[in-house]
Amino acid sequence: MPASATSPLLKRLPPGLWTLLAWYAAAVAPIVEYVVLTPRHKYSLSYPGEGLDSFGARALLTLAFALVLAAAVLTRRRAGAAYGLLILGTVVSTMAWRQDEIPPTQFLALDIALCHIAATRPRRTSLTAGGAALAVPVGYLLLRLWTGNGSGTASEPFMALTVVIAWLIGHSAHQARAHTEELHARAAAQAVIAERLRIAREMHDTVAHSIGIIALQAGAAARTVETRPGQAREAMLVVEREGRETLSGLRRMLGTLRQADEERSSAFPGGHGHARASRDPAPGLADLERLAATTTDAGVRVEIRRLGGHRPLPADIDLAAFRVVQESVTNVVRHSGADSCRVDVDHRPHELLIRVSDRGRGTGTAGDTGYGLVGMRERVALLHGEFTAGPRPGGGFLVTVRLPVPAAADVTATGARVLAAEGTGGR
């Protein structure tokens, strides 16, 4: 949830506006210098004082201004057509002054627009625009040579060089942006794979814990089946419920995690990872108070509100809910700058709703870099839930998660039953 920084002026103003300002400045300057203020300035062959006296010249110059204005408006939506209008407006402007070449200052606007096209459009489009820009000075040079007015130093080769430089700068920016996007995509994909592997390891621990409970309960039933059939029957019911719940969790997860295994094999050939076998139960929503206490020690007070009728959850859903809250609270501590946050846990009839909100300065969205959000979204998606994250209307950041809870999920507190069974097993 990074804080947003003010964009520089070059990025806040649209590229069409920069092109428009450059072209209009180059077009208005000679009008002011050689027409409006004629008595105080020397005469120019390129811009004669009477050059705009005729109606036709004024009409052409007005048309040139209109064409460039239309080009600036179309720059974002139709860059190719806008660039064509810009070239046409530039040519019409030289016709209004009856010039046999394009002034280099006015040609600068074409270079600015070409740089933008090369930076934001496909290579084929930018090459077409660059070819059109090169054709203009070449065409004027050939026209002067054909009419016999080719004396003096021609400016067209220098303008052609500026076209090449503008295209190279824009193309370099395009390649840099594409490379950055590729790196972000790879990092996001790696974050998804890492989260799936983490889920797989946690599922391994959960299943190992459940199998341990089943083994203990089955052993207790075997030892008491003759002396205490009621106790044995209760132990076998626990075995059945625990087995069904574990199988249900595996069915919800393993289908999607199979794809993660394939991605892991391609990313790490020959490696199968090392899952930590543990008999300790995975964390769940019952551990939120401990998480809140730890976060408070870190300087951010966590308020937990539990709504709805609390009931035990399947192990995978309970674990996913805890991880989402844990990651969200961690983001608050690291990025928001807030001194407190609130966690709402709402047990609804067929779903679990979780909201983590703060009043910090975070204005990032779910698409920002910072792959904790990517991991949370992946974890929720594996359980067919809904995940949203973004800035709050009144300030701060809000993470909302909806996890469907199977209707048949009636998980019992098996730890006490294990102890009871073990306590009667030797009698």
Side-chain angles (χ1 to χ4, degrees), residues 280-295 302 304 306 310 318-319 321-323 325-326:
D280 297 330
L285 293 179
D287 300 298
L288 287 184
E289 282 69 19
R290 178 172 53 85
L291 174 64
T294 304
T295 308
V302 179
I304 299 177
R306 298 182 183 270
H310 175 70
D318 196 24
L319 174 60
F322 176 81
R323 292 302 187 199
V325 174
Q326 183 183 43

Side-chain angles (χ1 to χ4, degrees), residues 328-351:
S328 300
V329 171
T330 301
N331 285 345
V332 173
V333 175
R334 291 179 177 176
H335 306 298
S336 73
D339 58 359
S340 64
C341 68
R342 192 175 76 183
V343 178
D344 295 328
V345 180
D346 188 359
H347 291 266
R348 297 184 174 182
H350 301 291
E351 69 177 6

Side-chain angles (χ1 to χ4, degrees), residues 245 248-254 256 314 316-317 382-384 406:
E245 183 55 40
S248 177
L250 287 173
R251 285 175 176 173
R252 283 193 296 268
M253 300 290 288
L254 292 183
T256 310
D316 52 347
I317 296 178
L382 289 174
L383 294 173
H384 308 288

Side-chain angles (χ1 to χ4, degrees), residues 61 74 78 163-164 174 232 344:
L61 191 60
L74 293 176
R78 301 183 61 183
V163 170
V164 175
H174 181 83
D344 295 328

Side-chain angles (χ1 to χ4, degrees), residues 260-294:
D261 291 337
E262 296 173 357
E263 295 175 357
R264 178 182 59 180
S265 298
S266 61
F268 308 100
H272 297 284
H274 177 68
R276 177 182 54 86
S278 172
R279 291 299 181 97
D280 297 330
L285 293 179
D287 300 298
L288 287 184
E289 282 69 19
R290 178 172 53 85
L291 174 64
T294 304

Side-chain angles (χ1 to χ4, degrees), residues 324 352-355 376 380 386-388 399-403:
V324 166
L352 176 67
L353 176 63
I354 297 175
R355 293 190 183 94
M376 284 191 283
V380 172
E386 298 178 6
F387 175 86
T388 57
V399 175
T400 304
V401 172
R402 297 177 183 272
L403 291 173

